[in-house]
């Protein structure tokens, strides 16, 4: 697997959670999965020692050879290789956001393939995550077509979020050694050419493509969700598979989570109340077990539904509810939320930072968890929330639609509150149903129990990935025979 993020070494969001936990589930099924990650400057060698003395790599870039290094993390759950370069990774404080990100991830991707060669280990499948390694299927396809590596590995591309594509200038083709005249971007994006789109090339050349839920796999075939790549996605004869993510059930275990004030489980839910009290205290909200506390842990961006939140705030305050928001993102949302918290200090608390332990306390201490996303390929927050007895309020899109069942007041079936139209009134309608149900402890306990009973482990997904790998190998076969 090639990825730009992997917990607990370097991550900003769900991509890192997936790459940090899926390999273990696959290894438990017998697959020899190994992961390559850029050797970011932020990976602290005191916390994560490297075993192999950074072996030298020769990475072909810009028509020349550049120097790289590969090291292996000493105590990882699966073999994890760090692809190093002082210029591209070590001397930078952030993971992304540099003008040369295109070059940085070409270097990483090529370096990872070189590392496999240096380790004399040839994978049967190269599994690429998101745009960062999107050129790999292109290289491997080109090598296979030229007959040079007819037995080269099959390639799989997983799309975690179609909105991030890796768009760069044409010079990236030269950097990547792909100036061969083929231009798959043109099929979908005539206005943007000649621009290089890493994700588009992954979609065009990978032997199999999947995304992280069945609903999102369907949605992205339409112009409304396709981010201008829908035509290219529709062109794939074998379609786009949807595999819902699991979560790391060891890290996210309310019965053992060290960040909680009190551990609890399906068998003994009573200690959970102490987490709510502790969270209210920590955030400076009035400590009251009966006041419904709504939590949100999110990138503060429009597509996460943040633009639906502001209009809803006055209604939450009027109903006497409390709201706790954790996250960073768009400065506009920082300001809106900061103002709301200043205006309603007894109701709104915000923490504008990246703080995983506080996130876990919000999962384990609040009553409802808000995810009004405009689009959501899978979403992990709702899965963690349900496991922590926290009732999600979600919009029916992508993985949210596939993992949260709307509560039926008559039969008491369901695990959360679901709304459809992307509109603050519909969002508040779902919250209001939640607030109303909250007044009936039996119904609420049923909701919590049903959510906590959901199996969000990686077992099923890992099996589906093994199937996908087999299909990728099968589809490669004609090229090899030829
Ligand atoms: C991205 C998506 C999110 C998904 C995650 C892991 O962050 O936005 O929906 O859960 O990747 O696949």
């Amino acid at each position: 697997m090639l990825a730009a993020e992997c917990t607990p070494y370097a991550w900003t969001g769900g991509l890192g959670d997936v790459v940090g936990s899926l390999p273990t589930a696959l290894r438990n099924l017998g697959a020899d999965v190994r992961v390559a990650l850029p050797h970011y400057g932020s990976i602290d060698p005191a916390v994560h020692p490297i075993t192999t003395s950074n072996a030298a790599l020769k990475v072909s870039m810009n028509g020349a050879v550049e120097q790289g290094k590969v090291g292996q993390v000493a105590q990882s759950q699966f073999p994890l290789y760090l692809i190093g370069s002082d210029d591209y990774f070590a001397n930078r404080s952030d993971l992304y956001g540099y003008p040369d990100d295109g070059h940085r991830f070409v270097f990483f991707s090529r370096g990872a393939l070189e590392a496999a060669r240096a380790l004399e280990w040839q994978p049967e499948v190269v599994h690429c995550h998101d745009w960062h390694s999107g050129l790999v299927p292109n290289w491997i396809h080109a090598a296979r077509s030229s007959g040079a590596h007819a037995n080269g590995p099959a390639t799989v591309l997983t799309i975690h979020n179609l909105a991030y594509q890796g768009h760069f200038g044409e010079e990236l083709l030269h950097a990547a050694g792909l100036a061969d005249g083929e231009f798959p971007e043109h099929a979908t994006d005539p206005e943007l050419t000649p621009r290089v789109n890493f994700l588009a090339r992954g979609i065009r050349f990978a032997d199999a493509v999947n995304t992280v839920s069945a609903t999102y796999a369907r949605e992205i075939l339409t112009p409304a969700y396709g981010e201008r790549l829908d035509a290219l996605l529709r062109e794939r004869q074998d379609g786009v598979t949807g595999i819902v993510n699991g979560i790391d059930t060891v890290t996210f275990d309310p019965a053992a989570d060290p960040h909680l004030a009190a551990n609890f489980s399906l068998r003994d839910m009573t200690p959970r109340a102490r987490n709510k009290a502790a969270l209210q205290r920590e955030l400076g909200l009035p400590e009251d077990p009966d006041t419904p506390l709504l939590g949100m842990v999110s990138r503060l961006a429009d597509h996460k539904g943040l633009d639906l939140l502001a209009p809803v705030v006055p209604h939450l305050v009027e109903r006497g509810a409390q709201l706790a928001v954790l996250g960073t993102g768009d400065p506009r949302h920082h300001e809106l939320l900061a103002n709301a918290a200043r205006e309603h200090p007894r109701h709104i608390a915000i923490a504008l930072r990246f703080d995983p332990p506080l996130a876990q306390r919000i999962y384990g201490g609040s009553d409802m968890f808000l995810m009004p996303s405009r689009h959501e390929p899978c979403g992990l927050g709702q899965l963690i929330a349900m496991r922590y007895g926290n009732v999600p309020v979600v919009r029916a899109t992508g993985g949210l639609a596939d993992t949260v069942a709307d509560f039926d007041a008559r039969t008491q079936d369901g695990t959360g509150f679901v709304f459809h139209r992307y509109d603050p009134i519909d969002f508040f309608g779902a919250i209001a149903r939640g607030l109303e149900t909250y007044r009936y402890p039996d119904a609420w306990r049923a909701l919590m129990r049903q959510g906590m009973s959901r199996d969000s482990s990686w077992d099923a997904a890992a099996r589906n990935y093994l199937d996908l790998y087999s299909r990728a190998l099968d589809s490669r076969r004609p090229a090899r025979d030829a």
Side-chain angles (χ1 to χ4, degrees), residues 267-290:
R267 248 174 292 125
D268 185 13
M269 306 209 311
T270 32
R272 193 178 193 281
R274 294 196 356 238
N275 293 320
K276 177 167 172 180
L279 182 63
Q280 286 170 323
R281 263 198 314 277
E282 176 177 359
L283 297 174
L285 293 168
E287 200 182 312
D288 176 5
D290 297 324

Side-chain angles (χ1 to χ4, degrees), residues 320-342:
Q322 295 174 339
L323 171 69
V325 183
L326 168 66
T328 61
D330 189 336
R332 195 165 50 87
H333 293 302
H334 285 213
E335 199 185 308
L336 274 171
L337 287 167
N339 288 340
R342 214 171 302 124

Side-chain angles (χ1 to χ4, degrees), residues 141-290:
H141 180 270
R144 281 202 317 243
S145 314
S146 76
H149 293 278
N151 284 313
T155 53
V156 170
L157 172 72
T158 298
I159 301 169
H160 294 268
N161 194 337
L162 200 62
Y164 302 106
Q165 300 180 358
H167 260 142
F168 301 100
E170 207 181 1
E171 70 280 3
L172 257 300
L173 283 187
H174 301 280
L178 285 169
D180 55 9
E182 255 208 88
F183 233 101
E185 288 89 345
H186 208 88
T188 54
D189 225 347
E191 288 157 44
L192 280 176
T193 54
R195 298 268 293 162
V196 178
N197 184 320
F198 283 29
L199 193 67
R201 285 176 178 255
I203 292 168
R204 164 69 182 80
F205 293 111
D207 294 308
V209 174
N210 82 297
T211 183
V212 288
S213 70
T215 296
Y216 192 62
R218 279 193 306 275
E219 287 172 339
I220 58 176
L221 302 180
T222 68
Y225 287 85
E227 306 279 352
R228 311 179 74 151
L229 297 182
D230 48 297
L232 197 59
L233 287 159
R234 284 196 304 272
E235 267 173 26
R236 289 197 59 98
Q237 301 289 313
D238 58 334
V240 178
T241 307
I243 302 177
V244 168
N245 291 328
I247 53 174
D248 175 347
T249 49
V250 175
T251 303
F252 299 111
D253 179 2
D257 188 331
H259 302 296
L260 298 183
N263 291 115
F264 62 97
S265 66
L266 198 52
R267 248 174 292 125
D268 185 13
M269 306 209 311
T270 32
R272 193 178 193 281
R274 294 196 356 238
N275 293 320
K276 177 167 172 180
L279 182 63
Q280 286 170 323
R281 263 198 314 277
E282 176 177 359
L283 297 174
L285 293 168
E287 200 182 312
D288 176 5
D290 297 324

